[in-house]
């Protein structure tokens, strides 16, 4: 993942679930080494995202903002 070594976290918040899955697969294929998080509208979508092996998947209705912010703080050691 040349040129983006300093990017530690990516949050995908795309309206189309299938396109988001494609974007995640592309990041993985490129060898992105950081944390990938994504949002989803439905529990089944969250399960599919987790099956891809991403770091975090959040419901846009209940936890996307605070969940991602908490994860970033945990992994960077910032509170």
């Amino acid at each position: 993942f040349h040129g983006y070594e300093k990017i530690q976290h990516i949050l995908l918040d795309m309206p189309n679930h299938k396109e988001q899955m494609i974007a995640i697969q592309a990041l993985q294929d490129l060898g992105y080494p950081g944390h990938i998080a994504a949002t989803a509208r439905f529990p089944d979508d969250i399960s599919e995202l987790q099956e891809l092996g991403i770091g975090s998947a959040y419901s846009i209705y209940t936890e996307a903002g605070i969940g991602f912010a908490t994860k970033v703080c945990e992994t960077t050691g910032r509170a």
Side-chain angles (χ1 to χ4, degrees):
F1 202 76
H2 181 67
Y4 299 100
E5 293 83 10
K6 293 183 180 184
I7 299 174
Q8 297 176 10
H9 302 274
I10 292 177
L11 172 62
L12 297 172
D13 185 24
M14 301 167 70
N16 184 299
H17 179 68
K18 289 184 183 192
E19 290 174 4
Q20 185 161 259
M21 300 277 286
I22 291 168
I24 291 166
Q25 189 62 56
L27 286 167
Q28 291 172 333
D29 290 348
L30 288 170
Y32 173 69
H35 178 260
I36 300 172
T39 62
R41 292 182 186 179
F42 307 106
D44 290 347
D45 293 346
I46 291 174
S47 296
E48 286 183 8
L49 292 168
Q50 291 170 332
E51 288 174 13
L52 281 179
I54 67 169
S56 308
Y58 304 105
S59 164
I60 62 170
Y61 301 114
T62 61
E63 62 184 355
I66 192 71
F68 182 67
T70 300
K71 185 67 172 180
V72 170
C73 288
E74 289 173 358
T75 59
T76 61
R78 297 180 182 161

